[in-house]
Amino acid sequence: MTTPPASTPATPTRAGRRPSPQLAQIKRTVYFLSRNTLAIVGLAIILFFLVVAVWGFFYPAPSDKLAGYCGTTTSGGQGNPACSLYPKTTVCTYPSGSAPPGPNCYPVESLNPSQIAPTVDLARHTLGPLPFGSLSIDSSNPYFYNPFDGIVKGAEWSLGISAGIVGTGALIGLMLGAIAGYFGGYTDEIVMRFTDIFLSIPGLLLILVILAVIGSTISTLEGRIVVLMGAFIITWWPLYTRIVRGQVLVTREQKYVEASKASGARSGRIILRHIIPNSMYPVFVQMSLDVGSIPLALGGIVFLGFNIFPTLYFPEWGTLAALSVITLPAQLTLCSGGPCVFPWWQVLFPGLVLFLFAISVNFLSDGLRDALDPRLRR
Amino acid sequence: MKMWIYLVRRLILLVPVIIGVMTITFVITASLPVHDQLVSHFGTGRIPLTPTVDCSTLGLGNGTCRNPVYYHDLHQLGLDKPKYVQWAIYMENSLTLNWGASDAGSKASGLLLGASSIPIAEVLSWYLPYTLELAALSLFLILVLAIPLGNYSAVYRNRPVDQAARLMSFSGFALPGFLLASLLLLGFTALLSALPLECGNTYFAFQHLYNSWPPTSCGTYSWMGSHGQTSPTGFPTVDAIYHGQYALAGDTLVRLILPAVTIAYGSIAIILRFVRNSMLEVMNLDFVRTARAKGVPESAVVRKHAGRNSLNVTVTILGLTFAGFIGGFPIIEDVFHLNGVGLLLTYSIQPQFDFGLIFGSVLLFTIIVVAANIIVDVLYAYLDPRVRLG
C-alpha cells in the first residue's frame, strides 16, 4: 500500500509553516476516494446529473403535456419562457362518483392501479420507436407525455428538493447533536429524549400525515414544496442528531478540545471551531445516502395517490416514475383492437434516472465511508 | 445492573416518549382549520359547517344567521374547549384504547365495505395479522439471503463475489419499490395469463397474484368474516391450516411471495452491509487467528468461530427491521392490493382524513417500535455477555 500524499504535501509550503490539519484530512479523503472505482463512477454520474440540472434551467419545454409545471399560480414557471406560450391548466383528480370539478380532471380510481385488475394482453402491444425529442403518437391520449422533457426539467427540482431537505436536516442534527454531546448531563437527556420521540414515529407515516393535514389546505406550488420539505426535514433530522451526538462524545475527549478549554475559549467557540468540524464526517456519509432516497420516497408518495404538487405532470423524477407506472394499466386498456404501442420508454427512462441517481449516491457514500474510516482503508 | 431493574427503567422512560408522540399528533390535528375538522367527522351532507349561515337554509328568511348546527357539532367534539383541555381529553382517550370509530369520509370505509363506526382497535386487529405474515415471510427471505451472502462477501473481500453481492444489494436499495412491484406484477400476469386456470379448478390462478383474498365467487367460509378477518387466530394462513383448508393456505402463501420478494430485495442492502462489516471486524480478532493457527479448517473457522460471533449485530438490525416492517408496506400493499395495515393507512388519509384510524395506528406502531428497541437491547446483552445493560 502506498502512503497517502497528505503526510508529504505535494506543494512545498513556506518554511516553518505546516498545512492545516483540516486541509490534510480533505486531501487524504480525496486520495482514498480516488482509488475506489465505484465511488468515482458514482461521483461521475452525480456530476452528470448536475450538468443536466443546469441545462434544464435553460431548456424550453416543447410538449404541451408538460405545460402543467408552469404552475397554477401566476408566479409559477420559474421564469421559463415556454410557460407564457401555454395556457395554465389545472390537472386535478377527484373521487369517482362525484362531479368533475374542472375540465382537466380525472377520477382518482381510474389512475390507481390498485383499483384496476391488470388484465392486459401484452401480445396485442408492440414496442414503438424511441420517442426522443418530439412525441406525437396520439395527441388525444391524456396519458402520453414526453419523459425526456420531464427528466431534463426535473433534474433541478429533484436535486434541489433533495439537497434542501438533507442540508437542513443535517444542519439541525449537527447543531442539536453537538450541543447534546458536548454539554452532556440534563441537556443531553432532554435533547435525546426529544429526538427519541421523533425517531419512534414511523417516517413515511409521519410524512403522509403532515402532507395530508397541512398540504391539503395549501394550493400554491411554492407552498406545497415548503410543506413537503418541512415534512421530510421533520422525519430526517433525528437520525442526524443521533449520529452527530455519538461522534461528538468521542471528539470532546480529544486533547485539542482540552487545550482550547484550558486556554479559556468559550463553549460556543469550542463547539463551532473544534467540535463540529471534527464530527462532520459521518454526517457526510449519511447525507450522501439520503440524497438518493428522497426522490424514491417522493415517487412512493405520489404513487400512493397523494397530489404533492398542484399539477399532475410536475417534472420531478420520483413523480415522473410514479405517474408512468400509475397510468400504465390505463394506457394499456385505452388501446382497443389492433396492434398498440407499449409505452416502455415512459416507464424505463424515469425509472432508470431514479435508479442511477440512487445507486450512484450509494457508491459515493460507500466510498466515503471507506475513505473516512481508517479501519476500512485498504 | 440486574435485568429487571433495567427493564423497569426502560419502561418508565417509555412514558414520556409516548406522551410526546401523542402530543405531536395532537399538534398536527389542531393545526387543521376547525371547519375541516368538523367536515372530516360529520361529512358535508348537511348544511355548511360555518359559524354563520344564510338564513334561508334554516328557513328563517333572508340575512345571515348564527348556525346552530355548527355550534352543536363544535360542542359535541369538544372543540369549543381550551386547547389544553382538548389535549387532556385526547391523551386520555388515546391511552385507554378509546380510539373512536372509523369514519365514512375516507376511502378506508370503502375498504371496510361501507361499514362505519367499527372501533379502530378492532379494525387494526383485523388487518395487522396479514401484514405480520408478509413481514415474517420477507424477513425469512432476507435471513436466508443476507447472512450467507454477507459472510461470503466478507470472506472474499474485494473479489468479484463481494463486488457482485454489493452491487446487487445497492441496486435493491436504488430501485423504486413501486416500479419493481408493478413490473413483477405485470410480468407475472402476462406470463401466467396463458394458463387456463380458473377459480373452480384450482386456487393457483393468475388473478391470485393480486389481491389478498380469494374472490367471493370462489366460495365463502364460515370462519371468515365479511372483511376478510379470520378466526380463531386472525392469521389467514394459520387459520386456513387450522380448518384443514390446505389449498387455501397455499393460495395465501402464493399471494405473499411476490410482495415478499419485492420487500426483501429492497431492504437487503442494509442488512448485508451490517453482516459484512461485523464479519470483517470479527475476522481480524485474535481468536479467529488462533483457530486458524491450530489448524481448524477454514470453512469451520468462518462458520463457527467468526460467523456465530458476528451474529450479535445482525440480530439487532433484524429486530429493528422487523419492527419497522410491522408498520406496514403502504406501497407494496397498494400495488398488490393486500389487505394489510399499510393499505388501510393510505386509504384512511385520502381523500378525507380518518383521524381515529390514523392516530390510533401512529400510537400502535410507536409502541411496537419502542418495544422492539427494548427487546433488541435485552437480547443483545443475552447473546453477548460482555455487553452490560445500563
Side-chain angles (χ1 to χ4, degrees):
Chain A
M1 174 177 145
T2 53
T3 47
S7 53
T8 52
T11 50
T13 49
R14 264 189 299 142
R17 189 166 170 200
R18 296 175 60 211
S20 78
Q22 275 96 359
L23 199 66
Q25 168 77 18
I26 290 170
K27 274 187 180 169
R28 219 174 303 142
T29 307
V30 169
Y31 170 75
F32 280 108
L33 206 58
S34 69
R35 290 181 35 160
N36 189 331
T37 322
L38 280 184
I40 294 301
V41 170
L43 198 63
I45 296 174
I46 293 168
L47 286 179
F48 171 73
F49 281 135
L50 281 177
V51 171
V52 170
V54 173
W55 179 37
F57 197 70
F58 301 103
Y59 182 81
S63 164
D64 62 342
K65 282 291 187 288
L66 275 176
Y69 69 68
C70 292
T72 48
T73 59
T74 45
S75 63
Q78 305 296 311
N80 179 5
C83 282
S84 58
L85 299 177
Y86 300 104
K88 291 193 190 305
T89 52
T90 311
V91 185
C92 63
T93 56
Y94 63 93
S96 66
S98 59
N104 283 316
C105 292
Y106 307 102
V108 176
E109 276 74 13
S110 75
L111 292 174
N112 192 338
S114 70
Q115 305 293 322
I116 306 165
T119 50
V120 175
D121 184 10
L122 286 182
R124 277 198 300 125
H125 290 85
T126 58
L127 299 178
L130 186 65
F132 272 137
S134 63
L135 180 72
S136 56
I137 288 176
D138 181 6
S139 58
S140 66
N141 186 335
Y143 300 115
F144 272 101
Y145 67 101
N146 189 337
F148 183 76
D149 294 342
I151 288 167
V152 173
K153 288 304 287 186
E156 58 190 87
W157 285 107
S158 279
L159 297 183
I161 290 174
S162 308
I165 291 166
V166 169
T168 319
L171 200 68
I172 297 172
L174 214 51
M175 285 295 162
L176 284 181
I179 289 169
Y182 180 74
F183 290 109
Y186 282 114
T187 321
D188 188 26
E189 273 299 310
I190 291 168
V191 171
M192 291 323 288
R193 290 293 83 76
F194 194 62
T195 310
D196 278 353
I197 291 170
F198 278 90
L199 262 182
S200 46
I201 307 179
L204 183 62
L205 194 57
L206 185 61
I207 295 176
L208 290 182
V209 170
I210 294 175
L211 283 178
V213 175
I214 302 170
S216 61
T217 56
I218 294 167
S219 58
T220 62
L221 181 65
E222 293 80 2
R224 289 262 183 132
I225 287 177
V226 167
V227 170
L228 173 78
M229 289 176 69
F232 270 86
I233 289 165
I234 287 174
T235 12
W236 244 261
W237 71 265
L239 190 62
Y240 288 106
T241 310
R242 187 175 264 194
I243 291 172
V244 172
R245 176 184 170 264
Q247 185 66 29
V248 168
L249 287 182
V250 178
T251 313
R252 71 165 186 189
E253 303 299 332
Q254 302 290 326
K255 289 277 182 253
Y256 52 80
V257 176
E258 209 176 306
S260 182
K261 226 183 267 180
S263 61
R266 287 169 187 274
S267 297
R269 184 183 159 83
I270 295 175
I271 288 177
L272 285 178
R273 288 296 301 270
H274 299 291
I275 299 282
I276 287 183
N278 287 296
S279 311
M280 272 175 83
Y281 292 102
V283 176
F284 283 140
V285 174
Q286 188 63 35
M287 275 172 83
S288 59
L289 203 63
D290 283 346
V291 161
S293 62
I294 285 172
L296 294 179
L298 274 177
I301 292 169
V302 172
F303 185 82
L304 288 176
F306 279 85
N307 300 315
I308 301 177
F309 305 111
T311 53
L312 189 57
Y313 291 114
F314 188 80
E316 192 278 327
W317 291 341
T319 313
L320 288 181
L323 284 174
S324 68
V325 177
I326 290 174
T327 57
L328 198 59
Q331 288 190 44
L332 293 182
T333 46
L334 197 74
C335 161
S336 55
C340 313
V341 178
F342 182 78
W344 56 274
W345 58 88
Q346 284 195 34
V347 181
L348 179 70
F349 290 112
L352 195 67
V353 166
L354 264 192
F355 176 74
L356 273 181
F357 182 60
I359 205 167
S360 61
V361 293
N362 256 295
F363 287 158
L364 183 66
S365 160
D366 213 45
L368 266 182
R369 189 196 313 264
D370 283 1
L372 293 171
D373 191 344
R375 285 174 306 170
L376 294 175
R377 279 179 195 152
R378 39 188 182 262
Chain B
M1 198 185 289
K2 280 213 178 74
M3 185 76 88
W4 67 271
I5 299 177
Y6 175 76
L7 269 178
V8 167
R9 187 167 161 261
R10 285 293 297 262
L11 287 175
I12 290 171
L13 276 178
L14 221 157
V15 174
V17 169
I18 287 178
I19 291 176
V21 168
M22 296 321 292
T23 309
I24 291 170
T25 53
F26 176 77
V27 168
I28 293 174
T29 326
S31 69
L32 206 64
V34 174
H35 174 255
D36 290 4
Q37 294 187 42
L38 289 177
V39 166
S40 76
H41 193 266
F42 294 106
T44 48
R46 300 178 299 168
I47 62 170
L49 289 167
T50 45
T52 53
V53 69
D54 195 10
C55 287
S56 58
T57 53
L58 301 171
L60 294 171
N62 294 324
T64 49
C65 296
R66 186 174 175 276
N67 186 352
V69 177
Y70 173 83
Y71 287 101
H72 174 260
D73 289 351
L74 206 65
H75 182 72
Q76 197 182 336
L77 289 190
L79 289 175
D80 53 348
K81 295 187 174 70
K83 283 279 185 239
Y84 60 88
V85 177
Q86 290 183 31
W87 179 83
I89 295 171
Y90 180 76
M91 290 301 298
E92 190 203 337
N93 285 337
S94 297
L95 296 177
T96 51
L97 292 191
N98 188 4
W99 296 345
S102 65
D103 289 336
S106 68
K107 259 204 290 183
S109 62
L111 197 68
L112 296 169
L113 301 175
S116 64
S117 64
I118 305 167
I120 301 295
E122 199 180 330
V123 172
L124 282 172
S125 74
W126 293 344
Y127 286 84
L128 195 60
Y130 201 87
T131 302
L132 280 177
E133 281 194 357
L134 182 58
L137 190 62
S138 315
L139 202 70
F140 174 73
L141 289 180
I142 290 173
L143 270 177
V144 165
L145 279 175
I147 292 181
L149 214 57
N151 287 353
Y152 213 59
S153 115
V155 173
Y156 297 97
R157 186 185 182 187
N158 290 336
R159 307 264 187 80
V161 181
D162 180 27
Q163 305 286 12
R166 289 167 79 189
L167 204 64
M168 195 208 81
S169 71
F170 282 156
S171 65
F173 175 82
L175 205 61
F178 60 86
L179 193 65
L180 180 65
S182 304
L183 292 184
L184 275 179
L185 185 62
L186 194 69
F188 273 87
T189 307
L191 202 71
L192 295 175
S193 58
L195 296 174
L197 297 174
E198 275 307 318
C199 199
N201 293 330
T202 172
Y203 283 111
F204 303 112
F206 79 94
Q207 292 96 331
H208 292 195
L209 292 174
Y210 186 78
N211 219 321
S212 58
W213 280 102
T216 44
S217 61
C218 285
T220 51
Y221 303 92
S222 57
W223 46 274
M224 204 184 285
S226 57
H227 306 294
Q229 76 271 34
T230 58
S231 58
T233 59
F235 291 89
T237 315
V238 176
D239 283 346
I241 291 173
Y242 177 82
H243 290 279
Q245 305 273 353
Y246 298 111
L248 189 65
D251 178 78
T252 29
L253 273 183
V254 166
R255 289 158 193 274
L256 285 177
I257 287 175
L258 276 187
V261 165
T262 319
I263 294 161
Y265 187 50
S267 44
I268 211 166
I270 305 161
I271 318 263
L272 192 73
R273 181 179 283 172
F274 269 95
V275 174
R276 180 176 177 271
N277 284 353
S278 78
M279 189 72 179
L280 277 179
E281 239 163 67
V282 172
M283 292 283 279
N284 288 330
L285 293 181
D286 285 343
F287 70 89
V288 173
R289 203 184 309 146
T290 312
R292 279 191 183 135
K294 74 179 184 192
V296 178
E298 183 64 24
S299 64
V301 171
V302 170
R303 212 175 53 243
K304 291 196 174 147
H305 292 79
R308 282 197 190 156
N309 280 291
S310 72
L311 269 183
N312 291 341
V313 181
T314 314
V315 166
T316 312
I317 195 74
L318 279 177
L320 295 182
T321 308
F322 190 70
F325 277 1
I326 297 173
F329 316 93
I331 294 161
I332 307 293
E333 282 170 2
D334 192 36
V335 175
F336 291 99
H337 207 74
L338 306 176
N339 288 344
V341 276
L343 190 68
L344 188 67
L345 286 185
T346 53
Y347 275 18
S348 67
I349 292 180
Q350 55 166 344
Q352 266 184 35
F353 209 66
D354 193 334
F355 285 101
L357 201 48
I358 198 73
F359 292 133
S361 31
V362 168
L363 179 63
L364 181 70
F365 297 143
T366 306
I367 292 173
I368 287 173
V369 168
V370 178
N373 262 313
I374 297 175
I375 291 169
V376 160
D377 281 354
V378 171
L379 204 62
Y380 194 64
Y382 183 75
L383 285 175
D384 189 349
R386 288 169 301 175
V387 174
R388 289 178 54 196
L389 295 170

